[in-house]
Structure formats: structure tokens, C-alpha cells
Amino acid sequence: MNYFGMFLLTIAMFIWGSSFIALKIAMIDLGPFTVIFLRMVIASMCFLYFIKDFLKFNFTKKNIQLLLLLAFFEPCLYFIFEAKALQNTTASQAGMITSLMPIIAGIAAGYFLKEKITRRLIIGSIIALSGAILLSSQATASEAAPNPILGNFYELLAMVCGAGYTIVARYLSKEFSALFITAFQVFVGTIFFLPFFVFEYTQLELNFTFNSVASLFYLGIVVTLGGYGLYNYALTKIEASKAAVFIYLIPIFTLILANLILNEVISFVEIIASAIILAGVFISEFSPSKFKIKRVKKA
């Protein structure tokens, strides 16, 4: 097991968990697609310095097609579904649904990438999934979440796109750097969401408050560059099916941050469910043989 890759994935999951909080805050004053477009613009500006280095890569027709497929999955479709999800459900509930993605990604990785799906991975995934289901069972309608069931369904669709992204990114990581893959995503995302931004700008009243602008820069720099950069780099160290299991950490980080920042209440059942998710991740990723003490034969 590559422990450095595991560390990078854990940090990436914390950053992604915090993105639900930042999105919720930004969408109070701005339209959902305005938030997505501007975060892409901010991230794109950070990558302009590296364009000359990106041109050194060998671009084949197949690689270009896969890069476009990657960007189509995420950020294009992924952020459309996630924006709709956060309009209808709480940040903590949306974060919980992300735990379904490893199941989809694990099956897809076994089929498309021929990666071995171990019994330990299956058992751990089932345990973590049961924890996610228990968490989602707490969903109730409120002013911040007018239709949690619909919102959770949109987040599920986002996870399907996330699984597709993980599979394609795993293949492309053999040809391109994590920095380039991340940059390509935000450049395509900026172009893709431009029409959505123009529509909202002409139809909605947008308020660029301090909180919304601060959230945009956090999303554009820390989440987009930091989160995706760490995740894409970790995929060069760890198989896609195993890396995807770390997604189970997102609902836990989101749950804690939503309580601390958004004052979303955490119930006792949600705490138990979070512990179940962590247990599933541990079982999936850690082999008992790693902790066995070797006996030394006496002469």
C-alpha cells in the first residue's frame, strides 16, 4: 500500500468535503452556475503560467478524445448535477451521497481497467455503503433543503459522472501529469459554463458579498487546484478502485464542517453512521497482514 498516496487522498477528500460548505455559502447571494463559472475562471488564471509546459505533451487523437470525455464527466455534467443537488438538499446530505461513488467506480474499474476487486474491498464497501444509507435516512425537508430526496438524486447522478471521471483519469495519468489534467478540466469547464453564466447574469440579481467572493476564491484555488491536483496525482500511486473508496471520507468531513460552519445539527445516529463509514474504509484499505509481527526462529 502506498501510504503517501493515501495521505494525499485524505487531504483531497477533506478539501472536497469543504467544497459543499463553500458552495452553499456562495449560492446564497449568487446563482449556482455563476458560482461554477467564476470558480473555473479563477482556477484557469492560476494555470496560465503553465501553458508552455502543457504544449510539450504528445497529443494523439485517442488522448484528445479521452481528455474531452474526462471534462464532459467532470466538471461539466458533474457540476450541473451538484449545483441542482445543493439547491434542494443540505450540504451534509449531499456529502453523504458521495459515498455511493466508490461502489460504481470499483465495478467500472474492474470491467474497463481490469483491476482486481478483492473480497476485502467488497466487504469494506458494503459496510461503508450501509453507513451512508443510514446517514441519508435522516433527510428531512427544511428551508435550506426544500426537496432533499430530489437533491440527493441529483447528487447520485453527479457520483455516476464522478465514477466515469475516475476511470478515464486513471488511464490518462499514464500519459499526462496531474497538473495538466486538472488544468484541462478547468479550461474546458470555463468555456462550457460561460453560456450558463451569461443567462444567469441577465436573469438573476447577483450580490457579490464578501462571503460569496471569498467562497469563490476558495473554490477556484483550494478546491479546484488543490483537491483535483492531489486526487489526480494520487491516481498515479494508487489503483482507481482503491482510490475511489476514500470518497467515503467526504460525508464525514462534510458533516463536521456543516455543523461547525453552517450550524447543521448532527444527530447521534449520524455519528454512528459516520463511524460505520470509517470502519468500511479501514477494512477496504488495510490488510491484516500489514500489521502482523514476524516471528524470529530461534537458532
Side-chain angles (χ1 to χ4, degrees):
M1 175 58 65
N2 189 301
Y3 292 103
F4 180 61
M6 291 171 59
F7 172 75
L8 295 180
L9 283 172
T10 301
I11 299 300
M13 296 309 107
F14 177 83
I15 292 174
W16 280 349
S18 68
S19 71
F20 291 97
I21 313 303
L23 279 169
K24 268 288 189 181
I25 293 174
M27 287 168 55
I28 293 174
D29 300 305
L30 303 174
F33 295 115
T34 297
V35 173
I36 296 171
F37 171 73
L38 292 179
R39 75 179 283 188
M40 292 294 163
V41 171
I42 293 170
S44 296
M45 292 175 65
C46 296
F47 281 116
L48 291 178
Y49 176 80
F50 301 99
I51 287 181
K52 288 185 178 180
D53 294 329
F54 295 155
L55 296 176
K56 297 177 182 178
F57 287 109
N58 181 31
F59 297 96
T60 64
K61 181 178 179 180
K62 182 179 180 180
N63 285 341
I64 293 175
Q65 291 174 339
L66 287 174
L67 283 168
L68 291 174
L69 179 62
L70 177 87
F72 178 70
F73 279 132
E74 195 167 342
C76 298
L77 288 182
Y78 181 93
F79 282 132
I80 288 177
F81 291 133
E82 189 162 271
K84 298 298 294 183
L86 289 173
Q87 285 182 308
N88 290 280
T89 191
T90 63
S92 56
Q93 285 293 324
M96 295 166 195
I97 300 302
T98 60
S99 58
L100 299 176
M101 199 271 272
I103 302 297
I104 305 170
I107 296 173
Y111 182 80
F112 292 105
L113 301 180
K114 309 302 179 184
E115 294 183 1
K116 184 179 180 180
I117 307 300
T118 65
R119 181 182 300 177
R120 190 173 69 252
L121 178 62
I122 294 174
I123 294 173
S125 296
I126 292 174
I127 292 173
L129 178 60
S130 66
I133 293 173
L134 181 59
L135 281 171
S136 295
S137 67
Q138 302 300 304
T140 55
S142 65
E143 184 178 352
N147 195 337
I149 295 178
L150 178 61
N152 289 348
F153 176 69
Y154 278 128
E155 190 64 30
L156 175 61
L157 294 179
M159 291 307 102
V160 173
C161 296
Y165 157 80
T166 298
I167 301 305
V168 180
R170 176 63 177 172
Y171 178 85
L172 288 173
S173 64
K174 301 175 184 178
E175 302 290 333
F176 303 101
S177 67
L179 186 69
F180 170 76
I181 293 175
T182 308
F184 186 85
Q185 287 179 270
V186 299
F187 287 145
V188 173
T190 300
I191 298 172
F192 180 83
F193 286 106
L194 176 59
F196 293 87
F197 164 69
V198 173
F199 175 79
E200 283 192 344
Y201 186 79
T202 57
Q203 298 295 320
L204 302 178
E205 182 179 349
L206 307 177
N207 298 312
F208 289 89
T209 62
F210 174 81
N211 286 340
S212 63
V213 173
S215 297
L216 285 175
F217 276 94
Y218 180 81
L219 288 166
I221 298 176
V222 179
V223 176
T224 303
L225 270 67
Y228 281 100
L230 289 173
Y231 185 74
N232 287 333
Y233 183 72
L235 285 177
T236 66
K237 308 292 183 182
I238 296 179
E239 293 179 350
S241 56
K242 293 181 178 180
V245 175
F246 277 76
I247 300 296
Y248 287 128
L249 296 176
I250 292 180
I252 297 175
F253 290 139
T254 305
L255 200 67
I256 295 172
L257 293 172
N259 175 259
L260 294 175
I261 300 174
L262 300 179
N263 296 319
E264 293 182 6
V265 179
I266 301 177
S267 67
F268 178 73
V269 175
E270 288 174 324
I271 294 175
I272 296 299
S274 297
I276 294 174
I277 293 175
L278 279 177
V281 173
F282 184 85
I283 292 172
S284 299
E285 293 301 314
F286 293 92
S287 172
S289 62
K290 296 287 184 181
F291 302 95
K292 287 183 179 179
I293 300 176
K294 293 184 178 179
R295 294 183 179 179
V296 180
K297 292 183 178 180
K298 294 184 180 180

